[in-house]
Amino acid sequence: MNKKGLAILMRTRMRPNDARDFARSPLANLVNQTLPNSDGSQSSGRLVQGAPQQRNEKLNASSNNERDFEVVRESMHSAISLSKTEILDSVLNDFSEGYFSLSYENRRKLLELLAKEYDLNRTQVRDLIKQYLGLELPGGSDNAPSTGTEEEACLSAFYRIERNLRYALKPAYEVLFERLNTHPGGLKFLSILRADILSILAEENIVSLRALDSYLKEKLSTWLSPAALELHQITWHDPASLLEKIVAYEAVHPISNLIDLKRRLGLGRRCFGYLHPAIPGEPLIFIEVALMKNVAQTVQEVLWDDPPSPECEATSALFYSISSTQPGLQGINLRRFLIKRVITLVKREMTNISTFATLSPIPGYMQWLLSKLASQSKLSEGEDIQHSPADTSGSTFWENILEPEEERALMDASVEFTSGKNSMEVLFNLLTSPNHEWTSSDKLLSALKPSLMRLCARYLLQEKKRGKALDSVANFHLQNGAMVERINWMADRSEKGLNQSGGIMVNYVYRLGKIEDYARSYFSSGHIHTSSDLSRYVKPLEEPQVTTL
Amino acid sequence: MNKKGLAILMRTRMRPNDARDFARSPLANLVNQTLPNSDGSQSSGRLVQGAPQQRNEKLNASSNNERDFEVVRESMHSAISLSKTEILDSVLNDFSEGYFSLSYENRRKLLELLAKEYDLNRTQVRDLIKQYLGLELPGGSDNAPSTGTEEEACLSAFYRIERNLRYALKPAYEVLFERLNTHPGGLKFLSILRADILSILAEENIVSLRALDSYLKEKLSTWLSPAALELHQITWHDPASLLEKIVAYEAVHPISNLIDLKRRLGLGRRCFGYLHPAIPGEPLIFIEVALMKNVAQTVQEVLWDDPPSPECEATSALFYSISSTQPGLQGINLRRFLIKRVITLVKREMTNISTFATLSPIPGYMQWLLSKLASQSKLSEGEDIQHSPADTSGSTFWENILEPEEERALMDASVEFTSGKNSMEVLFNLLTSPNHEWTSSDKLLSALKPSLMRLCARYLLQEKKRGKALDSVANFHLQNGAMVERINWMADRSEKGLNQSGGIMVNYVYRLGKIEDYARSYFSSGHIHTSSDLSRYVKPLEEPQVTTL
């Protein structure tokens, strides 16, 4: 291929979310939407990877549903009840292939069955605990203290029943999970299984299935403990099969074509992933880092074509994207370990890097602000009370969101655009206008900037829920020991950026040597460390934090 | 260095058991003896690897014992009770360094303390189980069947208490284990800790410590599940630090010098190890394989200088040595998975290999035979009854161990060597003679061969304990699906070989395609598959197996 042809190929637009190449299961076909995960990160969609048998599923699914279901149910039963034997491998193969051939309805039926009928043997549990209650604690009576050997014998009985009780409290489906874990491809299958379970639970809260999920999640957390994971630097030298996954799952700033991909892995950048030996060639999560002289303030600075400065002159490592490739591993927090490992590694290998920062979205800001504006607007109308900013008595729910100067500037600038009963309704309308019109007027932008920035700082630094930062991404970094350094206006003008946070992005900074202290104070008292620049945005409160319910 | 110098260096005798280079803990210094593991394999000794602080231990141990103990106890307490926080790493470091500085007595004291005081909260457990007994099983009463939602709510309560009970039944020391597991170097430390625990338990059966060991063993089994282990082919290209461990831990046929090591990893051979990412550069177990045209019958055939035939002509893969490097992982069966993986790998990569066999010791044979000879000899004297071989009535314990021709040949040949009241005592004396004199007389050798071989076959094929083969190595291979192919006279003339089994070694063969069936029949009925050659040694019994208690 000539140079021109190659250049064209490299720039051809890839459609990363069009992952039909990853044979999707019928379940994912129904549930393919991009929802933020509970920790604020994005996943590209509930992609469920099927086995090569996917090609046959159209043939099987419709005509042979009932027969397939019973067959699969049988193989699941065998997988659980079979005594320790060598044929387990083929039974597990049968089961997983059979599972992939089932329709959504049948998978749901099977999983509910698993949750209900392969649960605990409650009779056995009751028997054991009755025995246990019959035991006397050593040294518990007022008689003469028991001798060493008496005490040992007494303790023996406790240990024995406690151990048996631990076993009896393990649901039978644990056997299936354990066996799959040691089976080639089994861990991946479990991850897919859990993705299906989460989809089902998102539609209906089935108690027994939720209990099963809770158990499975614990098991997966154990198996995916960082001790078992390998950190791998992802580069252009990695297999295409691995890189394809990077493209498919890049959740924060989608990769547009091959040249973009090559850049993301090239000069001035690093890309690291966590792999598990049982799921080879597929990073469970990966992080993208840009090496720069300063801490980037906008997305555009990070997604450069050519690095702004040579690598050897870089003093900052900027984490600008963390993506997860396994919807079934939702809730299992691997990101934290990944960041920690990457910081350690970069610190060691690139001694010129002294600053570790992120350029992060603020996924909850707009949602919080709009809801506040809406409720305050209503209250304002309903109450019709003259409040001075100093008046904190009376209704505890009313608060002056905008400051007087902000209100004035807002009303002035918004005259041509929208109207409303009060400043809050006006702001609400502006922010929810289609196509984000407000961003196209310089006048509006400069009118809105002070308030939006101030309120964003407040949202990040002061809004809490049960002692933790309300914004999930903030909470994540703060738990890791980061501080909130700076917020950046119009840092992300994309649809998503404007929707989530009015285009504002935040830099969290991991200060070497302070990480442990900051994490500890955040954990114990919810204290959020911030730069002096940022703290000037927020009025100091009497109590250190405002807790919203 | 010139060629001659290099040749000398390569042939200089290494002392593999002199592992003082691996800074041993005081505990191992006391307990350094070679004992067979419960599955019949050998480990070179209870080597416990200490931290670099070993050099300081002489200074610390004597003068600062009590203070060190309290400090270490404190750090252990912190490691367990600390809330989730970033300073955990340094606390765990303090603890493990402190632990290594303790004397044997203090380690024992600390471990007993851990077992007793960081156990369950039994009050909490009792409360929970009282709550649990108060719950009514859904659908258990004779009233109208509960509605869907009632049942769900009812189940909810069960799930909740069951889950809380699972947590309450976890001893507090589990926290220490879990935290160490995710800590760099922690898994290795746990392995050392367990080696110490096993040493202590070997001296005294402390009930609480045994319960802790049982728990720790389960945890380690989970963390070392084959899904988490990597198979690695060990070659001369591996780091010296890794190869040093191969030399130190080679348990079956010790490696004598560097040239021997190079040979074991070179032409016509393969060496595979299982590694865990958290214990880098240190195979947990490793297996040595020789590629040959025939199945070797003696050790000498395997430990060649140059391979007997080119690799490409080899049709047999012979497993001649499996060694474990972690005394603390005793009882955690990784060998089985290793063999399975290696067979799969060799089968795939070397299509000319059609036979997979072992050349294995029979560690329990002599012990069994001598004890039988001794007891039969006594009975024979005591009873003074004329028995014909067909007479199985009367004392069920008396049996004719030797056949008439064997007795005659034995008594003839042994006249110059020893005497005894009966043939069994004579045989006993011969087999226990110092320096195994009996092996130096050809006459004796040919007189003893038929009986020793026959009895060996009987031992392997018929002696059982609770349905499983009495010989632990046999049991291991049979569980894996092997068959007993052949026994070989004077296969191992070393001190160890003669002590264990009178020099006889056995070939177990893994027949591709039959492995699963054989394993299953062994598991379900104790059936041992054997070659026709070998089965002619043993009289068929009325019941398929003789069970000894």
Side-chain angles (χ1 to χ4, degrees):
Chain A
M1 187 187 269
N2 58 23
K3 277 194 173 179
K4 184 173 172 187
L6 180 63
I8 291 172
L9 181 83
M10 294 291 273
R11 285 172 173 75
T12 304
R13 181 161 183 75
M14 296 164 77
R15 292 187 304 277
N17 280 338
D18 189 15
R20 285 185 196 101
D21 298 339
F22 296 124
R24 262 187 271 178
S25 74
L27 192 63
N29 277 330
L30 293 172
V31 202
N32 184 32
Q33 38 177 332
T34 308
L35 296 171
N37 296 325
S38 58
D39 62 356
S41 70
Q42 306 282 327
S43 40
S44 307
R46 298 273 158 86
L47 297 168
V48 176
Q49 308 230 6
Q53 282 70 17
Q54 291 302 312
R55 299 177 198 105
N56 294 331
E57 68 181 326
K58 286 190 180 151
L59 298 167
N60 289 343
S62 40
S63 51
N64 296 330
N65 262 358
E66 281 320 303
R67 188 184 70 176
D68 275 359
F69 182 82
E70 279 310 312
V71 165
V72 179
R73 179 187 171 151
E74 270 305 306
S75 63
M76 182 172 84
H77 181 79
S78 294
I80 294 177
S81 55
L82 219 50
S83 308
K84 195 171 85 167
T85 166
E86 286 296 328
I87 67 163
L88 194 56
D89 272 352
S90 55
V91 169
L92 289 171
N93 276 335
D94 288 345
F95 171 56
S96 52
E97 284 171 19
Y99 180 85
F100 285 124
S101 74
L102 295 178
S103 66
Y104 170 74
E105 274 310 316
N106 279 338
R107 287 190 197 196
R108 180 191 158 121
K109 200 164 137 191
L110 191 73
L111 291 168
E112 281 194 67
L113 199 140
L114 181 66
K116 280 221 164 92
E117 296 187 25
Y118 292 87
D119 200 353
L120 312 182
N121 178 341
R122 293 196 162 85
T123 313
Q124 191 187 23
V125 170
R126 285 180 105 89
D127 285 343
L128 280 167
I129 66 188
K130 281 174 185 161
Q131 285 181 43
Y132 190 78
L133 284 175
L135 296 176
E136 237 183 70
L137 278 157
S141 68
D142 296 317
N143 301 340
S146 41
T147 66
T149 41
E150 273 174 25
E151 189 170 336
E152 291 265 290
C154 190
L155 273 176
S156 263
F158 272 93
Y159 291 135
R160 192 174 34 83
I161 301 187
E162 280 154 10
R163 187 189 163 141
N164 292 340
L165 202 45
R166 272 196 290 266
Y167 282 128
L169 283 168
K170 291 188 190 194
Y173 48 67
E174 174 180 270
V175 176
L176 181 65
F177 300 157
E178 291 275 352
R179 288 176 165 180
L180 279 169
N181 182 45
T182 59
H183 176 72
L187 189 58
K188 172 75 186 175
F189 176 64
L190 282 169
S191 165
I192 295 172
L193 210 74
R194 184 158 183 264
D196 287 352
I197 291 170
L198 293 172
S199 298
I200 295 166
L201 287 174
E203 299 185 357
E204 188 186 335
N205 183 22
I206 304 165
V207 164
S208 53
L209 196 58
R210 195 167 283 287
L212 180 148
D213 174 64
S214 165
Y215 199 90
L216 177 55
K217 178 180 167 186
E218 274 188 53
K219 288 262 128 198
L220 287 169
S221 298
T222 309
W223 294 327
L224 297 169
S225 91
L229 299 174
E230 295 165 39
L231 189 68
H232 172 72
Q233 188 183 337
I234 298 163
T235 67
W236 195 242
H237 301 298
D238 272 303
S241 51
L242 190 153
L243 297 183
E244 185 185 30
K245 298 191 168 63
I246 303 298
V247 174
Y249 291 104
E250 164 55 54
V252 181
H253 304 290
I255 294 171
S256 39
N257 53 33
L258 281 173
I259 250 264
D260 191 4
L261 172 64
K262 197 172 182 185
R263 258 184 229 137
R264 300 279 190 106
L265 305 174
L267 275 182
R269 294 194 204 275
R270 297 290 182 273
C271 180
F272 295 96
Y274 250 158
L275 284 100
H276 189 281
I279 309 180
E282 194 169 336
L284 303 181
I285 53 169
F286 59 94
I287 191 170
E288 290 168 75
V289 191
L291 305 167
M292 309 171 67
K293 263 185 172 167
N294 54 297
V295 175
Q297 298 181 284
T298 71
V299 157
Q300 283 66 41
E301 282 177 62
V302 170
L303 302 179
W304 62 66
D305 284 6
D306 298 300
S309 52
E311 262 189 37
C312 51
E313 290 179 30
T315 52
S316 299
L318 196 85
F319 303 112
Y320 62 92
S321 175
I322 306 183
S323 309
S324 168
T325 65
Q326 311 290 322
L329 300 186
Q330 187 181 324
I332 296 168
N333 188 1
L334 300 174
R335 290 172 173 64
R336 166 180 194 182
F337 296 117
L338 181 61
I339 284 191
K340 212 169 141 178
R341 290 281 301 270
V342 171
I343 290 179
T344 308
L345 193 134
V346 172
K347 196 169 68 178
R348 194 177 62 220
E349 292 187 359
M350 306 189 71
T351 46
N352 39 322
I353 304 282
S354 51
T355 307
F356 292 85
T358 78
L359 180 61
S360 302
I362 312 171
Y365 176 41
M366 263 306 123
Q367 188 183 342
W368 169 84
L369 181 59
L370 292 175
S371 122
K372 253 214 168 347
L373 289 172
S375 62
Q376 289 303 317
S377 180
K378 280 205 170 63
L379 277 173
S380 203
E381 287 175 60
E383 299 265 341
D384 201 19
I385 302 168
Q386 294 271 335
H387 278 89
S388 71
D391 183 358
T392 52
S393 63
S395 167
T396 44
F397 291 96
W398 192 91
E399 51 175 318
N400 225 346
I401 295 190
L402 297 173
E403 301 197 342
E405 311 79 33
E406 292 171 355
E407 263 185 294
R408 244 190 323 270
L410 168 66
M411 297 312 267
D412 271 345
S414 64
V415 157
E416 309 137 36
F417 290 89
T418 187
S419 60
K421 296 188 188 63
N422 51 55
S423 60
M424 286 174 291
E425 190 177 327
V426 167
L427 184 52
F428 185 95
N429 291 339
L430 281 174
L431 294 174
T432 52
S433 61
N435 303 324
H436 306 283
E437 281 171 15
W438 58 280
T439 58
S440 44
S441 152
D442 282 345
K443 189 172 170 199
L444 260 181
L445 279 176
S446 48
L448 290 174
K449 178 176 176 181
S451 46
L452 289 182
M453 290 287 272
R454 181 180 60 78
L455 290 163
C456 183
R458 169 181 156 177
Y459 169 71
L460 283 173
L461 302 177
Q462 293 175 345
E463 297 302 310
K464 301 255 177 74
K465 182 172 168 177
R466 282 190 249 140
K468 301 202 286 186
L470 190 56
D471 184 77
S472 52
V473 174
N475 182 49
F476 169 68
H477 288 291
L478 292 167
Q479 270 182 337
N480 289 350
M483 58 178 285
V484 193
E485 174 76 15
R486 186 174 61 216
I487 48 178
N488 307 296
W489 180 248
M490 285 300 126
D492 183 3
R493 288 178 177 263
S494 72
E495 180 77 20
K496 194 163 90 172
L498 293 170
N499 279 337
Q500 285 187 336
S501 59
I504 301 174
M505 293 189 87
V506 54
N507 293 118
Y508 296 103
V509 168
Y510 287 85
R511 291 222 175 288
L512 300 179
K514 295 271 184 221
I515 294 177
E516 294 191 0
D517 292 340
Y518 288 7
R520 205 176 350 160
S521 61
Y522 178 68
F523 182 77
S524 57
S525 62
H527 183 72
I528 298 177
H529 290 267
T530 182
S531 66
S532 45
D533 269 358
L534 193 55
S535 50
R536 64 179 165 80
Y537 276 114
V538 289
K539 285 193 287 285
L541 306 162
E542 213 167 279
E543 304 101 58
Q545 306 97 16
V546 169
T547 311
T548 54
L549 295 166
Chain B
M1 188 187 269
N2 58 22
K3 277 195 176 178
K4 183 172 173 191
L6 181 63
I8 291 173
L9 180 82
M10 294 289 275
R11 284 168 174 77
T12 304
R13 179 160 184 73
M14 299 165 76
R15 292 188 304 276
N17 280 339
D18 189 17
R20 286 187 196 98
D21 299 341
F22 296 123
R24 262 187 272 177
S25 75
L27 192 64
N29 278 332
L30 294 171
V31 202
N32 185 34
Q33 38 177 334
T34 307
L35 297 170
N37 295 326
S38 57
D39 63 354
S41 69
Q42 306 284 324
S43 40
S44 307
R46 297 272 160 85
L47 296 168
V48 176
Q49 309 229 3
Q53 280 72 17
Q54 290 302 309
R55 299 174 201 108
N56 293 333
E57 67 181 328
K58 286 187 181 156
L59 298 168
N60 288 343
S62 41
S63 53
N64 297 327
N65 261 357
E66 282 320 302
R67 188 186 71 174
D68 275 358
F69 182 82
E70 278 312 310
V71 165
V72 179
R73 179 188 172 150
E74 268 306 304
S75 63
M76 183 173 84
H77 181 79
S78 293
I80 294 177
S81 55
L82 219 50
S83 309
K84 195 171 87 166
T85 166
E86 287 295 327
I87 66 163
L88 194 57
D89 273 352
S90 55
V91 170
L92 289 170
N93 276 335
D94 287 345
F95 171 57
S96 52
E97 285 171 18
Y99 180 85
F100 285 124
S101 74
L102 295 178
S103 65
Y104 171 74
E105 273 311 316
N106 277 337
R107 285 191 198 195
R108 180 193 158 121
K109 200 164 138 191
L110 189 74
L111 289 168
E112 280 194 66
L113 199 141
L114 181 67
K116 279 223 165 88
E117 295 186 27
Y118 292 86
D119 200 354
L120 311 183
N121 178 339
R122 294 196 163 86
T123 314
Q124 191 185 23
V125 171
R126 286 181 105 90
D127 285 344
L128 280 167
I129 66 188
K130 281 175 184 160
Q131 284 182 44
Y132 191 78
L133 284 176
L135 295 176
E136 235 181 74
L137 277 158
S141 69
D142 296 318
N143 301 340
S146 39
T147 66
T149 41
E150 273 175 25
E151 189 171 336
E152 291 263 290
C154 188
L155 274 175
S156 266
F158 273 93
Y159 291 135
R160 193 174 34 84
I161 301 187
E162 281 154 8
R163 183 182 164 150
N164 292 341
L165 202 46
R166 273 196 289 265
Y167 282 128
L169 283 168
K170 291 189 192 193
Y173 48 67
E174 174 180 91
V175 176
L176 181 66
F177 300 158
E178 291 276 351
R179 288 177 163 179
L180 279 169
N181 182 44
T182 59
H183 177 71
L187 189 57
K188 172 73 186 174
F189 176 64
L190 281 169
S191 164
I192 295 172
L193 210 75
R194 185 158 182 263
D196 287 352
I197 291 169
L198 293 172
S199 297
I200 295 166
L201 287 174
E203 299 185 355
E204 186 186 337
N205 183 21
I206 304 164
V207 163
S208 54
L209 196 59
R210 194 167 286 286
L212 181 148
D213 175 64
S214 166
Y215 199 89
L216 177 55
K217 179 180 166 185
E218 273 187 53
K219 287 263 128 195
L220 287 169
S221 297
T222 308
W223 293 328
L224 297 170
S225 92
L229 299 174
E230 293 166 39
L231 189 68
H232 173 71
Q233 187 183 338
I234 298 163
T235 67
W236 195 243
H237 301 298
D238 272 301
S241 52
L242 190 153
L243 296 183
E244 184 184 30
K245 297 189 168 66
I246 303 298
V247 174
Y249 291 104
E250 163 55 54
V252 181
H253 304 291
I255 294 171
S256 38
N257 53 32
L258 281 173
I259 247 260
D260 190 5
L261 172 63
K262 197 174 182 183
R263 256 184 231 137
R264 300 279 190 104
L265 305 174
L267 274 182
R269 293 195 205 277
R270 297 290 183 271
C271 181
F272 296 96
Y274 249 158
L275 285 99
H276 190 281
I279 309 180
E282 194 169 338
L284 302 181
I285 53 169
F286 60 94
I287 191 170
E288 289 169 75
V289 191
L291 305 167
M292 310 172 66
K293 263 185 171 165
N294 54 299
V295 176
Q297 298 182 283
T298 71
V299 158
Q300 283 66 42
E301 282 177 63
V302 170
L303 301 180
W304 62 67
D305 283 6
D306 298 301
S309 53
E311 261 189 39
C312 51
E313 290 180 32
T315 53
S316 300
L318 197 85
F319 303 112
Y320 63 92
S321 174
I322 304 182
S323 309
S324 170
T325 66
Q326 312 288 323
L329 299 186
Q330 187 181 324
I332 296 170
N333 188 359
L334 300 174
R335 288 170 175 64
R336 168 183 193 178
F337 296 117
L338 181 62
I339 284 192
K340 212 170 144 180
R341 289 280 302 269
V342 171
I343 290 179
T344 308
L345 193 134
V346 172
K347 195 169 68 177
R348 194 178 63 222
E349 292 186 0
M350 305 189 71
T351 46
N352 40 319
I353 304 283
S354 52
T355 307
F356 292 86
T358 79
L359 180 60
S360 302
I362 313 171
Y365 175 39
M366 264 303 124
Q367 187 182 345
W368 169 84
L369 180 58
L370 291 175
S371 121
K372 251 212 171 348
L373 289 172
S375 62
Q376 289 302 318
S377 179
K378 280 207 171 62
L379 278 174
S380 203
E381 288 174 59
E383 300 264 341
D384 200 19
I385 301 168
Q386 293 274 335
H387 279 87
S388 71
D391 184 358
T392 52
S393 61
S395 166
T396 46
F397 292 97
W398 193 92
E399 49 175 317
N400 225 343
I401 296 190
L402 297 174
E403 302 197 340
E405 312 78 34
E406 292 171 355
E407 263 187 293
R408 245 191 321 273
L410 167 65
M411 297 311 266
D412 274 345
S414 63
V415 156
E416 312 136 38
F417 289 90
T418 186
S419 60
K421 299 186 189 65
N422 49 55
S423 60
M424 285 175 292
E425 190 177 326
V426 167
L427 183 52
F428 185 94
N429 290 341
L430 281 173
L431 293 175
T432 52
S433 60
N435 301 326
H436 305 284
E437 284 170 17
W438 58 280
T439 58
S440 41
S441 153
D442 282 344
K443 187 172 172 199
L444 259 182
L445 279 176
S446 47
L448 290 175
K449 179 176 175 179
S451 47
L452 289 182
M453 288 289 271
R454 182 181 59 78
L455 289 163
C456 184
R458 167 180 157 179
Y459 169 71
L460 283 173
L461 301 179
Q462 292 175 348
E463 296 303 309
K464 300 255 177 74
K465 183 174 170 177
R466 281 190 249 141
K468 300 202 289 187
L470 191 56
D471 184 78
S472 51
V473 173
N475 181 49
F476 169 69
H477 287 290
L478 293 167
Q479 269 182 341
N480 289 351
M483 57 176 287
V484 193
E485 174 76 17
R486 184 173 63 215
I487 48 178
N488 307 295
W489 179 247
M490 286 299 126
D492 183 4
R493 287 174 176 267
S494 71
E495 180 77 21
K496 194 163 90 169
L498 293 170
N499 279 337
Q500 285 189 337
S501 59
I504 302 174
M505 292 190 88
V506 54
N507 293 118
Y508 296 103
V509 168
Y510 286 85
R511 291 221 176 291
L512 299 179
K514 296 269 183 221
I515 294 177
E516 294 193 359
D517 292 340
Y518 288 5
R520 205 178 348 165
S521 60
Y522 178 68
F523 182 77
S524 56
S525 62
H527 183 71
I528 297 176
H529 291 267
T530 182
S531 64
S532 45
D533 269 357
L534 193 54
S535 48
R536 65 179 164 79
Y537 274 113
V538 288
K539 285 194 287 286
L541 306 162
E542 212 168 277
E543 306 99 59
Q545 306 100 14
V546 168
T547 311
T548 54
L549 295 167

